[in-house]
Amino acid sequence: MKETLLELRGGKVQYGGITALDGATIKIDEGEIVALMGPNGAGKSTVLKSIYGLAPLAEGEVLWHGQKLSPVPHQMAGRGIAYVPQGRQVFKNLSVLENLELGGYALKNRADLKVNIESVLKIFPVLREKLSQKAGLLSGGQQQMLTIARGLVSDPKVLLLDEPSLGLSPKIVKEVFALVKEINTIRKIAILVVEHSIKSVLEITNRAYVLSRGKVAIEKADGEVLGSDALERVFLQ
Ligand SMILES: Nc1ncnc2c1ncn2[C@@H]1O[C@H](COP(=O)(O)OP(=O)(O)O)[C@@H](O)[C@H]1O
Ligand SMILES: [Mg+2]
């Protein structure tokens, strides 16, 4: 049995009168890639934010290695959880290297920073060629790679990755997903990836959740094939 690393149990999040999450339970086991799918506004980003402490839980809890955890954003990287928000949020006026260095803010030993950046650059060789360039000058795909790379500099056990394919061409999306898979297999990092593009993400994942209106509507087990009728029901409603 694989150990469950991280779990959001019965998570409920409200923004004013809007219930963004309504009792969602989502878990990530050691070594797996889990997809979180669903239509716009279903609550996917809110799942990641609540786990990371960026959206307060009105009900429910976050468990890390089976222990209840009070999520506080600046403590999460130190615990082994990295979060890459949607929208390719690089620091445009800083160099690629400076962006990567910011990803290591929680490292206790500064010597680890260099080692970790070096190890991340092995996965993203395209960034190595551009270390001194301003991040704002990178292409969209390279900026997305930089945000993922920055998340990895803290040497996390779990990566929370929000819509890495947003606004990228199909060819670049393929590249990004191949890298996500590599991070999982080579670096042994468990990944919860939010994704709209069902086909590309299901090719690289073990399990999947489909959210609808803040609730888990479908839970796909490893090896199970999702019926298109079930997906249509959720996505077309
Ligand atoms: N900061 C916020 N203030 C108010 N409503 C929000 C906020 N963030 C998200 N919401 C609402 O919560 C719901 C879920 O949003 P979100 O988690 O971003 O969905 P998804 O990522 O699946 O598109 C939506 O109805 C959205 O409009
Ligand atoms: Mg979102």
Side-chain angles (χ1 to χ4, degrees):
M1 262 295 269
K2 279 184 180 169
E3 194 204 349
T4 295
L5 290 179
L6 187 60
E7 180 175 351
L8 172 65
R9 192 178 287 173
K12 181 167 180 172
V13 173
Q14 289 175 310
Y15 294 111
I18 298 170
T19 301
L21 264 194
D22 196 6
T25 294
I26 280 162
K27 67 180 185 102
I28 309 149
D29 291 347
E30 205 181 341
E32 61 176 5
I33 305 188
V34 180
L36 185 53
M37 307 182 297
N40 252 334
K44 305 181 297 295
S45 295
T46 305
V47 166
L48 302 198
K49 287 180 188 165
S50 66
I51 292 174
Y52 207 74
L54 293 166
L57 284 171
E59 286 172 24
E61 55 195 13
V62 177
L63 303 167
W64 177 235
H65 292 281
Q67 305 284 323
K68 194 173 172 214
L69 161 144
S70 302
V72 179
H74 70 269
Q75 294 175 356
M76 299 307 269
R79 291 186 152 122
I81 302 168
Y83 166 59
V84 178
Q86 72 183 51
R88 304 201 284 271
Q89 298 181 25
V90 299
F91 297 95
K92 289 195 163 63
N93 289 317
L94 298 183
S95 71
V96 168
L97 180 59
E98 286 163 339
N99 268 272
L100 291 173
E101 285 169 349
L102 286 172
Y105 72 92
L107 292 172
K108 291 190 184 74
N109 182 352
R110 298 311 286 170
D112 288 344
L113 183 61
K114 245 185 128 160
V115 175
N116 291 2
I117 289 178
E118 189 50 39
S119 135
V120 165
L121 287 173
K122 287 203 173 77
I123 302 174
F124 300 92
V126 64
L127 297 178
R128 188 192 293 280
E129 297 160 23
K130 299 181 186 284
L131 282 177
S132 55
Q133 205 171 94
K134 281 198 171 158
L137 297 175
L138 298 179
S139 70
Q142 290 164 351
Q143 289 187 6
Q144 183 62 62
M145 289 177 197
L146 178 55
T147 61
I148 299 172
R150 189 176 59 206
L152 295 178
V153 170
S154 61
D155 196 19
K157 298 282 174 287
V158 175
L159 179 66
L160 307 172
L161 186 52
D162 202 347
E163 297 222 39
S165 73
L166 205 66
L168 300 178
S169 72
K171 180 171 167 282
I172 306 293
V173 170
K174 245 187 135 126
E175 272 176 43
V176 170
F177 278 124
L179 288 166
V180 169
K181 181 77 191 161
E182 203 177 312
I183 291 161
N184 171 255
T185 49
I186 296 174
R187 298 284 301 271
K188 313 270 183 251
I189 296 172
I191 300 173
L192 176 61
V193 55
V194 168
E195 194 45 62
H196 217 93
S197 151
I198 296 179
K199 191 172 168 297
S200 46
V201 78
L202 285 179
E203 281 171 12
I204 65 159
T205 54
N206 303 106
R207 297 189 302 110
Y209 296 89
V210 182
L211 273 190
S212 171
R213 296 176 189 166
K215 290 184 158 74
V216 174
I218 304 174
E219 206 172 326
K220 183 190 94 66
D222 205 352
E224 188 185 339
V225 178
L226 280 186
S228 54
D229 50 336
L231 286 173
E232 261 171 43
R233 248 193 350 263
V234 173
F235 278 87
L236 296 180
Q237 72 181 357

